[in-house]
Amino acid sequence: MLKDVFRSCREKLRNGGIENADFEAQCIIEAVTGFGRAALIAHGDKPVSDEHKQRINSFTKKRLTRYPLQYILGKWSFMGLPLFVGDGVLIPRDDTEVCVGLCLEYLKGKSGAKAVDLCSGSGAIAIALEKLGNADLTAIELSDKAFYFLEKNISLNKSKVTAIKNDILSCHGEFPDNSLDLIVSNPPYIKKSDLRGLQPEVQFEPKMALDGGESGFDFYKAIILGWSRKLKPGGALVFELGENQAEHVAELMKQNGFQGIRTELDFGGCERAIIGIRN
Ligand code: GLN
């Protein structure tokens, strides 16, 4: 019966040290059988086919290796938008809503603003801004694997985002100066020496999306130096930030002609995003 299969999945996850075993078991059951939380309660005595049982078992086993739940499910949602995720692309985090929130505030009343999302990954930020902020978005991503998901997510959401496969460290020359209203990025920002200490799940995610160099600031510096002039005067630069990076990034922005610099906290009280306006 459905409820027995659910309980057994939950127990295996729990015994394997998975924190949100109840929630994760629900996700696995739903991905395989189509029965969500409510259906589990209402139809708990429904039979489960052998094929479904096998898939649930293999998903559970895979999860016990600490392989991320989101990769197993193949789909995850960000700000209510469905996104395909899998090996080779960074999983969208709830923290990133803070960064999108700062952009949406800036975009208010500016329909059709020209915006670029650098290191776009799954396209979470770009697609959210195009849908919720009515902006004209270009998403730039270098990794082949991530780009595959970016394009799939643009079609999945019937989004008008333009995807470009290129290296943000060098392709700024292709954008005219003073042409953009907004540049946003959730760049790789983890210090190289901190990478090995991250959760086991994160070890399955692409290093390229996480590794911010020895100091963690490599991409902030490169983006500020390479891209600032592409903004119109009055245009905004918005970054997601790693822990304790706000002060240094704010200083870099100030030194490079940004004003009105402001940070926003995440739910954990950490300065998670920053905005500055080009002079
Ligand atoms: N938020 C991610 C983490 O802490 C890092 C993402 C990034 O480097 N941009 O795992």
Side-chain angles (χ1 to χ4, degrees), residues 224 245-258 261 274:
I224 292 169
Q245 290 182 320
E247 201 179 325
H248 188 59
V249 175
E251 193 50 43
L252 285 171
M253 289 171 78
K254 208 184 289 169
Q255 285 165 6
N256 286 280
F258 287 88
I261 297 166
I274 187 164

Side-chain angles (χ1 to χ4, degrees), residues 11 19 22 67 71 74 94 113 127 147 156 163 174-175 195 229 233 236 266 273:
E11 285 325 294
E19 241 176 71
D22 192 75
Y67 192 72
Y71 285 176
D94 288 346
I127 297 169
F147 195 77
L156 175 67
E174 294 170 26
F175 290 75
L195 285 170
R229 272 177 305 144
D266 64 19

Side-chain angles (χ1 to χ4, degrees), residues 98-99 102 238-241 262-264 271-275:
V98 178
C99 176
L102 275 181
V238 178
F239 284 121
E240 175 163 323
L241 298 169
R262 187 160 69 78
T263 59
E264 191 75 25
E271 286 177 297
R272 184 56 68 189
I274 187 164
I275 183 167

Side-chain angles (χ1 to χ4, degrees), residues 61-86:
K61 264 200 190 136
K62 189 122 203 216
R63 183 66 188 103
L64 289 171
T65 69
R66 293 292 174 147
Y67 192 72
L69 174 74
Q70 295 87 338
Y71 285 176
I72 293 170
L73 304 176
K75 236 178 173 188
W76 199 241
S77 94
F78 176 73
M79 299 188 81
L81 301 165
L83 296 172
F84 289 115
V85 292

Side-chain angles (χ1 to χ4, degrees), residues 195-214:
L195 285 170
R196 281 172 152 275
L198 299 174
Q199 274 174 286
E201 281 81 357
V202 184
Q203 308 297 336
F204 289 97
E205 293 190 84
K207 292 286 171 288
M208 187 177 157
L210 298 164
D211 185 349
E214 302 298 335

Side-chain angles (χ1 to χ4, degrees), residues 102-114:
L102 275 181
C103 295
L104 289 177
E105 227 176 86
Y106 176 79
L107 289 171
K108 217 176 222 172
K110 297 187 180 72
S111 182
K114 275 192 93 61

